[in-house]
Amino acid sequence: MSREDGGTGKARPPGRSRALPETILPVRRRAARHIQIKPAPARIRAVNPQVTLIGGFLLIVVIGTVLLALPFASETGEFTPLVDALFTSTSATGTVGLVVVDTATHWSPAGEAVILILMQVGGLGFMAGAIVLFLALGRRVSIHQRRVFQESLALRQIGGLPGLARRLLIYTLVIEGVGAALLYLEFSNDPSIGSTAAWWSAVFHAVSAFTGSGFDLMGDFTSLSGQATRPLVLLTMMFMIIPGDLGFMVVLDALRARRFRKLATETKIVLSLNFALWPIAALGFLMLEFSNELTLGAFSVPHRVMNAVFHAVTVRNAGFSTVPFAEVGTLALMFLMTFMIIGAASASMGGGIKVNTVGALLAAMRAGLLGRPNAEAFGRTIPNDRIYVGITLLMLYIGWIFIAAPIMFALHAVSTDFIPSLFDTISALGPIGLSTGMPRELNEAGKVFMSVLMFVGRLGPLTVALALLRRSARRSLRRYPECELKIG
């Protein structure tokens, strides 16, 4: 018996390999014709999706900075200082809302349009817009482009992403369109806005609310203070902020299931925590500022309640305000910082450590208190790697605050109180947009540093989480012996 017969005693025909039979090869060629995914070139395939996300947003920030610095973007027709243009572009792209120049008076209509586009691209995600554009042009979407879109929405799979991008675009346009129409009905009757500018103001604020950007056209750095006693305006803004806060995937799952027991576990966690956090934030802010004549105390009791509810929604995402936060008490600022750190849901328009992370950590804490080996929520076990990532995100976020807050305080020479600096630092990392007025008092170095904070706040936690999730999926073949370690 020779080696050529493979040990069967039968001679193999010449030229026949020991690999797969030839009959399988035509089937594979036929199946390949039905694959719609365009293979990515080798040099693109090697690029990490997180690098593409960061590079894409950085490119948008740079383009926005150049456009906003040009004379056509300012009301006076003069060049805007590059640092101010950089700060505004980063704030708009990062959906933060912190400003160093008044949006309504400094920027021309063209400059406001640039800011609106930056808010839309930053909130929707540049990769979603790119995929929709490719589909409109009849181009195929490569595997790498699908992976980047998957990273931006924190998805586990890349199947059906073009259709998902279309639904995301339709979802965005419908909410913003309905919100703009409702705001127009209110703004057209507002003498301070004027009927001719009502439509543009309605569209601008609709995009700003849904993306959680917090930019406004009310003037004099007052945000929505002039609308504090108009419940319909506040309710409309909340109607647009909340879907952006929950995230497209959560809203889509809720619309499909329609019953709580049929929802995905992640959707249940997000909705449950949000419906707990909103009333807690509203009640706490109402109690702490109820008698402050410079904030909620200036309104009647019904309007105090309405404005407290509004700030409970906006404090974790949008950053709009109806009271001057420079006059908010220290205890109230410290109370609101907790909600700013928590932020919105994963793959939403907001930032923070995410409601999903808080849910996972609470489940792990509950398991520890009850002596259970696994974290559980709604009858499902949360994988340990998600707990590890949640702890890592929390520690990284707190570490950023510990590093950034003293630097911001040092660059903010006007203030002698650390709490407002800490509040604005967390707002930039949020990214939230509520402010005690600190950005306008920063020097150039301070503005650049806060721009970095806003950029990190918009992309840092998300990209770190996705990178850790990818690494955690690679199981190590090594396992060290267990050790004794005292905890607590």
Side-chain angles (χ1 to χ4, degrees), residues 324-343:
F325 266 76
E327 307 299 337
V328 172
T330 300
L331 189 58
L333 291 178
M334 296 176 65
F335 173 75
L336 294 178
M337 287 180 198
T338 303
F339 298 93
M340 295 166 63
I341 292 174
I342 293 175

Side-chain angles (χ1 to χ4, degrees), residues 26 54 121 132 204 285 289 299 322 324 371 374 384 429:
I54 295 175
V121 173
V132 173
F204 187 94
F285 188 62
E289 293 295 305
F299 308 128
T322 59
N374 298 310
N384 288 333
L429 279 171

Side-chain angles (χ1 to χ4, degrees), residues 307-320:
N307 282 267
V309 172
F310 176 78
H311 285 94
V313 173
T314 191
V315 72
R316 291 192 295 115
N317 184 9
F320 290 105

Side-chain angles (χ1 to χ4, degrees), residues 24-76:
I24 297 179
L25 299 180
V27 176
R28 286 191 170 183
R29 284 193 291 267
R30 287 196 301 268
R33 287 196 295 266
H34 298 283
I35 298 177
Q36 299 297 322
I37 300 176
K38 180 182 178 181
R43 60 182 181 87
I44 297 180
R45 195 178 303 169
V47 179
N48 193 298
Q50 286 84 29
V51 175
T52 304
L53 279 175
I54 295 175
F57 272 98
L58 182 60
L59 178 62
I60 295 170
V61 169
V62 171
I63 294 175
T65 300
V66 173
L67 293 176
L68 291 176
L70 296 177
F72 81 93
S74 67
E75 190 68 37
T76 60

Side-chain angles (χ1 to χ4, degrees), residues 2 17 119 133 144 158 160 170 214 222 232 245 301 303 324 336-337 339 365 377 380 397 402 426 441-442 444-445:
S2 65
S17 66
M119 291 189 300
L133 179 62
H144 178 72
I158 62 175
I170 295 172
T222 58
L232 291 180
D245 193 351
V301 173
H303 286 307
L336 294 178
M337 287 180 198
F339 298 93
M365 184 180 69
R380 295 291 187 270
Y397 200 90
F402 270 104
I426 296 176
E441 301 167 349
L442 293 172
E444 291 189 355

Side-chain angles (χ1 to χ4, degrees), residues 164-284:
L164 187 63
R166 291 191 192 96
R167 290 194 294 272
L168 175 59
L169 181 63
I170 295 172
Y171 166 78
T172 300
L173 295 178
V174 167
I175 293 181
E176 291 177 350
V178 173
L182 294 175
L183 287 177
Y184 174 77
L185 296 177
E186 290 294 315
F187 290 164
S188 60
N189 298 322
D190 189 343
S192 63
I193 297 177
S195 58
T196 56
W199 70 271
W200 172 244
S201 183
V203 171
F204 187 94
H205 288 90
V207 174
S208 182
F210 178 70
T211 59
S213 301
F215 280 80
D216 68 272
L217 298 179
M218 299 301 172
D220 298 327
F221 301 100
T222 58
S223 191
L224 298 181
S225 297
Q227 310 295 322
T229 57
R230 304 184 68 182
L232 291 180
V233 174
L234 300 185
L235 288 173
T236 301
M237 298 293 284
M238 291 167 58
F239 158 78
M240 290 180 289
I241 294 171
I242 289 176
D245 193 351
L246 297 176
F248 170 64
M249 301 304 298
V250 170
V251 174
L252 182 63
D253 186 39
L255 293 175
R256 286 175 174 174
R258 297 184 181 180
R259 294 183 181 180
F260 188 80
R261 62 183 180 84
K262 294 184 178 180
L263 296 173
T265 302
E266 185 173 21
T267 304
K268 293 178 180 179
I269 292 174
V270 171
L271 293 179
S272 299
L273 284 178
N274 271 290
F275 284 119
L277 292 171
W278 285 326
I280 292 174
L283 183 60

